[in-house]
Each structure stands twice: as C-alpha cells, then as structure tokens.
Amino acid sequence: MQIYLDYSATTPPHPKAIAKMQQVMTQQWGNPSSLHSWGEKSALELETARIRVASLINAVNPDSILFTSGGTEADNLAIMGIARQCSNPQHIIISSVEHSAISEPANLLESWGWQVTRLPVNKQGRINPWDLQTAIQPNTVLISVIYGQSEIGTLQPIEKLASIARSHNILFHTDAVQAVGRIPIDVQKLGVDLLSLSAHKIYGIQGAGALYVKPGVSITPLLSGGGQEHKLRSGTQAVPTISAFGVAAEIAQQEMATETSRLVALRDRLFDQFAECPYLISTGDRLYRLPHHVSFILSDLFAQQAPEVTGKTIVRQLNLAGIGISAGSACHSGKLSPSPVLSAMGYNSNAAKRGIRLTLGKDTTQEDIDWTAMVLKQILVRLLPLCVGC
Ligand SMILES: Cc1ncc(COP(=O)(O)O)c(C=O)c1O
C-alpha cells in the first residue's frame, strides 16, 4: 500500500493539466512573441492561462498576473522588485515564519544595509496585528506576510494586516503558495498589492508560478532581456507548463468548495486519532488552518525516552511502510537543523527538530487516514524502549 501525504511539497499533476501540456507541446509550440500564426496560437494559450489564473484569485485585470518559474521566483520578484525601486536602503517587515523564498531575499537586503523587522508569532504561529501596527516606521516600503504556513498550517489574518499597511500607504505582499487553490482567495477583498502563486501546489506542473501585481503598483524587473510579461519578467514564457497551470487553476476553482470541506473532515479525523496520544502534540492553529494540513511535534515525554528520534526518523520509518510525509525542519548536508518556524513559535531547539507534517490532497481517502494513524502509532510504540502504548 502506497499513501502519499505530502501534498504541500508538491501535488500530482492533474490528468487534464498533463493533457493540456502535451497538446501545447505538440500543437502550440510557437514562441508567443512571434508575429506569425505559430506565435499567435501559442500567445492565445498563454493569455487563456492568464485569464484562468486571474479568475482563481478574482484579479479583475488578467494583465495583473505575471508568469514566473514558480513560487520562489514570484516571492523574490515581489521583495527585490519593490526594493529595487528605492535608491537607498529602507525598511521592510516580514513575519518570523516565512518560507525561505521570502526570508532569504530579506536576509540579502539586510546584508545590503536594509532594516528588516521580523514580526513575532504566538505559540500557534499567528501574528498579532498590533505588532505590525507598532513595527511600521516612516521608511517602511513593504510588508510581506505568508498566508498559509507550509510547515505548521497556520493561516494569517491577511485582510486585517493588509488594511493596516494600506492605512499607512505601505505596499503589502503575501506568499499565498500554500493557500491558493485550497481556500477561496479574492485579491480585491484581501486588499493586497502583490500575491505569489505556484502551479505545482494546485495539481499543475513544476516550473510555473505567478506574481499578482495590483494595477498601478510599480516593480523593477529582476531579469533584463526581451521584455516579456509587460517588461517585468524577460524570457520566453514556458507556455506548456503555464497553460497547464491555467487548467489546474480552473479545476481548483470549480472543485474548491466540495474538496475543501472533504479535506477538512479528513484533516480533523487525523488530528482526532492522536488527540489522546501523549507522544504527539499538534502544532499550528487548529481554527485558522489550511484545510489539508496536519502537523505535530514528538512530545517531551517521547523525547525523554527516545532522545535520538527526530522528525526525520519518523519520515524514514513511515516511508518504509509506504507512506510519504515530511519532517518539519529542513535538512542541510545531512545535518538536521532546528526548524526556524518552530523556533519562532517558542519551541526549544530540540523540540524544533521533532516536527512532522502530513498534508492531504485529492486522492486521500478515509482509509488512508485511518491506516496512516494506525501505522504511525505502531512506529511510535516501536521506537520507545519503555512504551505503554498510545
Ligand atoms: C509557502 C511557500 N512559498 C514558496 C514556495 C516555493 O514555491 P516553488 O516550489 O514553486 O518555487 C513554497 C514551496 O514549498 C511554499 O510552500
């Protein structure tokens, strides 16, 4: 039995997205900037995808969608594209639980003399809007806060945070890579200036993404060249993957209402199966949470008896049982470092190595959930020398 529970890492491409990609590769493979009919056919696919992606986030003007190579590039374009509008180093605000596609560009700006404020979060990983209010300075040019946190599932109060930014005339960006396609996103209602998306998190193909840029907001491009994407992202567009992204966006929009409630029920069922287990403690916010996201840390009680066990151990053990999940923290060069996200939430450095994440998706069934819960409990028991069961 093979059970994939790592849909936040990537999603299997939807068959209709694959079919669209194959169709474009064989029939509309022209350069969308070319003026002949080959180019026109390809440009039509590109613009259809733009309309579909815009519709998914209720962007009224499809030209506010800039296609990129993925979420990482969209995040970098948002941060650096605004920073490069300034002639001198200024101040930006991010949260302390950003994905590295935001925290790394912010670190780079800091090394260039920018001031960076990293907003604190509570034990559930949520920002208090008051902390944003007090962090704003006269030279703050951008605020960027992740919408749905990939490691702990917590959703941030983006509408509230964006309205604080707006009241100070400061641009607001959100990394919505994990949230898009999973919860309804309406850029008008949210009041954001910039928003990042990624195709492979919504059953599209890896290698496509987009940055929504509200009409009237200026960014400086990071790439110089042929001036594609309204001169904001040079380089011939990857039309096959982008058109597949458009198809995936349309399907996500059509299926979101039913799929979201199905996933919430499965997510809560999985949480419930561990509610009484003293060895797993849920992480993140249980109310303001991505619908497909379940995360835990191994408890102190567990760690006292099996101190060498980390989140990575559990990932490996479950993999042996045919179940694919993620550890909470990144592993660099074989060395497991504490998760910066769990650390920001107040977990000590040992606990911050004991995170695990199970993320559900369209092929996840109730049987998968029940089987995974049973196998995970057995693994925990096996890893404990003095186990009393859970
Ligand atoms: C919150 C978040 N932002 C950005 C990214 C990067 O997206 P991509 O893999 O499309 O570059 C990810 C990927 O996991 C993510 O979860």
Side-chain angles (χ1 to χ4, degrees):
M1 192 162 179
Q2 291 275 303
I3 301 176
Y4 182 74
L5 291 177
D6 204 10
Y7 284 80
S8 270
T10 200
T11 53
H14 195 287
K16 288 186 179 164
I18 298 173
K20 172 54 87 177
M21 177 154 156
Q22 280 172 339
Q23 175 213 311
V24 172
M25 287 173 84
T26 50
Q27 293 167 39
Q28 287 98 5
W29 43 262
N31 186 324
S33 299
S34 298
L35 296 178
H36 44 62
S37 59
W38 289 268
E40 277 170 8
K41 278 195 218 160
S42 172
L44 185 62
E45 290 294 342
L46 185 64
E47 296 318 314
T48 304
R50 205 182 301 282
I51 291 167
R52 288 172 166 160
V53 172
S55 170
L56 178 62
I57 59 169
N58 197 29
V60 176
N61 183 352
D63 285 340
S64 56
I65 300 296
L66 300 183
F67 286 118
T68 64
S69 61
T72 301
E73 188 190 333
D75 282 347
N76 274 259
L77 184 54
I79 299 285
M80 293 302 184
I82 295 299
R84 287 175 68 172
Q85 294 264 302
C86 307
S87 41
N88 296 311
Q90 306 292 333
H91 174 233
I92 66 163
I93 300 173
I94 63 171
S95 80
S96 51
V97 292
E98 294 301 314
H99 188 272
S100 49
I102 292 292
S103 59
E104 286 300 321
N107 292 344
L108 192 60
L109 286 179
E110 205 168 32
S111 73
W112 295 343
W114 282 64
Q115 280 176 278
V116 180
T117 300
R118 295 167 183 85
L119 296 174
V121 292
N122 65 14
K123 195 79 189 208
Q124 286 70 46
R126 286 264 288 182
I127 289 172
N128 181 343
W130 179 246
D131 287 328
L132 174 60
Q133 188 78 47
T134 54
I136 288 171
Q137 301 179 11
N139 65 340
T140 308
V141 294
L142 178 67
I143 298 163
S144 179
V145 175
I146 191 166
Y147 200 149
Q149 217 293 325
S150 42
E151 206 177 304
I152 43 117
T154 299
L155 295 170
Q156 299 296 345
I158 295 301
E159 197 175 336
K160 175 79 189 143
L161 300 173
S163 87
I164 294 172
R166 205 164 47 252
S167 67
H168 290 82
N169 276 325
I170 300 168
L171 294 173
F172 189 91
H173 167 256
T174 185
D175 173 347
V177 163
Q178 292 290 342
V180 167
R182 295 190 168 118
I183 57 170
I185 304 263
D186 179 337
V187 287
Q188 316 296 322
K189 188 162 171 284
L190 286 176
V192 296
D193 299 292
L194 302 137
L195 180 142
S196 302
L197 309 85
S198 175
H200 74 102
K201 311 291 184 181
I202 64 162
Y203 306 95
I205 314 269
Q206 291 156 358
L211 180 66
Y212 160 78
V213 184
K214 187 172 141 185
V217 171
S218 295
I219 59 166
T220 302
L222 306 187
L223 302 178
S224 311
Q228 289 88 344
E229 298 296 294
H230 305 290
K231 299 194 167 42
L232 294 174
R233 200 279 185 176
S234 283
T236 302
Q237 295 92 338
V239 185
T241 46
I242 290 171
S243 31
F245 185 15
V247 168
E250 192 173 69
I251 296 168
Q253 196 170 6
Q254 287 160 357
E255 296 183 351
M256 194 178 312
T258 45
E259 184 59 0
T260 299
S261 46
R262 193 185 75 87
L263 288 175
V264 165
L266 291 177
R267 175 197 74 184
D268 292 344
R269 186 178 176 93
L270 190 48
F271 271 125
D272 287 349
Q273 310 230 19
F274 288 100
E276 305 298 320
C277 174
Y279 303 131
L280 286 178
I281 310 286
S282 68
T283 52
D285 201 294
R286 282 301 306 273
L287 184 60
Y288 302 105
R289 187 171 193 91
L290 287 165
H292 71 302
H293 197 292
V294 176
S295 57
F296 298 104
I297 58 162
L298 299 167
S299 68
D300 287 342
L301 179 67
F302 186 92
Q304 280 158 18
Q305 298 177 57
E308 73 292 349
V309 174
T310 63
K312 219 171 110 184
T313 321
I314 305 296
V315 173
R316 287 199 173 128
Q317 291 288 321
L318 275 174
N319 187 47
L320 291 175
I323 301 170
I325 70 156
S326 266
S329 43
C331 177
H332 301 290
S333 330
K335 189 172 167 288
L336 190 71
S337 45
S339 149
V341 171
L342 292 174
S343 302
M345 290 159 69
Y347 291 97
N348 66 38
S349 61
N350 277 328
K353 290 180 183 170
R354 301 199 300 260
I356 58 167
R357 171 186 88 178
L358 304 92
T359 44
L360 327 180
K362 74 177 172 57
D363 294 327
T364 311
T365 62
Q366 191 171 305
E367 292 71 48
D368 293 341
I369 293 299
D370 294 349
W371 178 258
T372 300
M374 197 260 296
V375 173
L376 180 49
K377 281 179 187 169
Q378 280 180 358
I379 287 172
L380 293 174
V381 165
R382 223 174 343 109
L383 289 169
L384 278 180
L386 306 166
C387 181
V388 288
C390 78

